[in-house]
Amino acid sequence: MKYHIDIAPRTLHFKQPAGTSRGVYHVRRSWFITITDEQGRQGVGECAPLPRLSCDDMPDYGEQLRLVCDHFCDAGEADLQRLRPFPSMLFGLETALQHLHAGSFRLFDTPFGRGETGIPINGLVWMGTHDEMLRRIDEKISGGFRCIKLKIGAIDFDSELRLLQHIRRVFKKEELEIRVDANGAFNPEEAQKKLELLAAYDIHSIEQPIRQGQWQEMARLCRAGIIPIALDEELIGVNEPSRKEALLDTIQPAYIILKPSLHGGMGGTKEWLTMARQRHIGSWMTSALESNIGLNAIAHLAALEYGPEISMPQGLGTGQLFTDNIAVPIEIRHDKLFYLVKSEE
């Protein structure tokens, strides 16, 4: 099969600054690829590396993507082994191919893809001042979310504890699940004490409490069992199967959080999932701040891999982040993401 690929870079603009412990995002750069086959059928995918985080973030990303696409067109298929170091490019190619073969944005035939069920999602609360975060927390809870995720590590820790105290005054853990994401903000020397203070508020899990690459320190925190630990940034750049197994066996986390743009595309994500299940490690999927093109693909992949009765809230509530997002038939209703079948008719 012969293919042709067009590449269109695009900058998306956040409605409000997206703050993490690593900095604040105001815009999001993505490269959209359109694959056309010999019959004229087309599929669209998104290649969206995160600056200073993705293992394939590079100054000449557009030029390298062109080379990858040209190689794909010459070979007629995506070479998973060759593209392991370029997960965001691989994810874009996989998405575009699946879109082409499916003939619509319903990438896989699942109850979610048929519009029969929604996927539970968490409500994301970005970093900000104490008052800003308090307002955002209240908005998420009022909007019907029963799982919220708080980015922590940017304001002083005492203020963050007061925010958690505010929530737990009203909602017990049976009523509202709280996840926190430190994005590696804690020092190893202080991490255990901070986890102990956070544990008082019945935290479901904490993502990446310390910076990635410190396997023994992370393993020690996991063994302490204070709060279940979920790995996120830790998985970035760990592309070979043997290295993935070594990471999981050494750290033994409670959860891994899978972002196809960062963690190996669809194929690499499935690989991580298989290894985690073999070790009784939980997981969920989340976006890496892609547009609705990438978000839709991750949602359909999650529905395929986790089955029709997804009980674990996924991190798929990012479709309303941008002022100039791309129209795709997905929408949030209360605390679930739905695919809109009628929009295709």
Side-chain angles (χ1 to χ4, degrees):
M1 177 69 72
K2 294 292 185 180
Y3 297 100
H4 172 76
I5 297 181
D6 293 306
I7 303 173
R10 180 168 173 174
T11 299
L12 302 173
H13 300 81
F14 285 93
K15 292 179 181 177
Q16 60 185 33
T20 75
S21 60
R22 291 185 303 271
V24 179
Y25 292 113
H26 297 275
V27 296
R28 182 75 166 96
R29 182 77 160 167
S30 288
W31 284 257
F32 294 91
I33 62 173
T34 301
I35 296 181
T36 305
D37 70 6
E38 295 169 317
Q39 285 76 48
R41 298 178 302 171
Q42 291 188 325
V44 178
E46 180 177 7
C47 305
L50 275 170
R52 302 179 304 279
L53 185 61
S54 295
C55 65
D56 55 355
D57 173 43
M58 55 191 78
D60 59 344
Y61 186 90
E63 290 82 357
Q64 293 299 319
L65 178 60
R66 181 73 267 171
L67 293 174
V68 165
C69 289
D70 288 346
H71 183 274
F72 167 83
C73 290
D74 291 339
E77 60 182 3
D79 185 343
L80 173 61
Q81 190 61 35
R82 182 176 180 272
L83 292 179
R84 282 186 185 276
F86 309 101
S88 66
M89 299 182 192
L90 177 59
F91 181 52
L93 281 169
E94 291 170 321
T95 299
L97 276 174
Q98 192 62 38
H99 184 199
L100 184 152
H101 293 311
S104 75
F105 284 115
R106 183 174 75 179
L107 301 188
F108 302 107
D109 185 18
T110 64
F112 169 75
R114 295 191 295 271
E116 298 167 3
T117 61
I119 298 174
I121 60 176
N122 61 249
L124 178 59
V125 178
W126 289 101
M127 288 177 175
T129 66
H130 177 276
D131 289 344
E132 286 172 340
M133 292 184 73
L134 184 61
R135 175 178 54 79
R136 293 167 189 169
I137 289 168
D138 290 341
E139 286 174 354
K140 293 297 181 185
I141 294 173
S142 298
F145 284 94
R146 289 297 170 259
C147 172
I148 61 172
K149 171 181 166 180
L150 278 69
K151 295 276 189 178
I152 63 174
I155 62 176
D156 70 277
F157 190 63
D158 287 340
S159 293
E160 290 168 343
L161 292 178
R162 287 197 295 273
L163 290 169
L164 294 170
Q165 187 180 58
H166 165 76
I167 299 170
R168 284 295 179 233
R169 283 197 193 106
V170 182
F171 296 97
K172 297 179 181 179
K173 66 177 181 179
E174 293 81 12
E175 299 171 304
L176 182 69
E177 182 176 288
I178 301 175
R179 301 172 179 174
V180 295
D181 183 2
N183 286 127
F186 300 163
N187 295 320
E189 296 76 17
E190 67 180 5
Q192 183 159 332
K193 179 61 176 178
K194 287 191 171 182
L195 293 184
E196 290 170 353
L197 292 171
L198 288 167
Y201 302 101
D202 294 317
I203 305 300
H204 169 270
S205 56
I206 181 168
E207 296 181 31
Q208 206 67 43
I210 63 175
R211 181 174 46 82
Q212 65 266 38
Q214 305 174 89
W215 287 15
Q216 296 302 327
E217 291 293 338
M218 189 71 85
R220 179 179 60 80
L221 292 174
C222 289
R223 286 196 302 269
I226 302 166
I227 297 176
I229 289 176
L231 303 184
D232 179 358
E233 290 91 341
E234 199 73 64
L235 311 183
I236 297 173
V238 182
N239 300 315
E240 294 299 326
S242 61
R243 190 68 172 161
K244 293 178 180 181
E245 291 179 329
L247 183 150
L248 295 177
D249 289 338
T250 299
I251 298 178
Q252 299 181 37
Y255 303 102
I256 58 172
I257 299 168
L258 296 166
K259 300 176 179 177
S261 287
L262 298 177
H263 303 144
M266 291 187 183
T269 294
K270 292 178 180 181
E271 202 169 69
W272 277 114
L273 269 173
T274 297
M275 294 179 183
R277 286 165 173 160
Q278 290 170 346
R279 292 160 174 80
H280 306 289
I281 295 170
S283 67
W284 63 87
M285 292 188 199
T286 182
S287 76
L289 306 181
E290 297 93 349
S291 77
N292 279 336
I293 297 292
L295 176 62
N296 177 71
I298 300 167
H300 282 277
L301 180 63
L304 179 70
E305 291 299 319
Y306 293 122
E309 299 299 328
I310 302 178
S311 59
M312 179 79 75
Q314 309 291 299
L316 303 175
T318 56
Q320 300 171 331
L321 290 178
F322 304 108
T323 61
D324 45 3
N325 211 333
I326 297 169
V328 171
I330 51 176
E331 73 172 14
I332 295 173
R333 302 177 199 160
H334 301 293
D335 64 343
K336 289 186 177 181
L337 182 71
F338 285 86
Y339 184 73
L340 306 178
V341 175
K342 290 184 178 180
S343 64
E344 296 182 344
E345 298 176 354

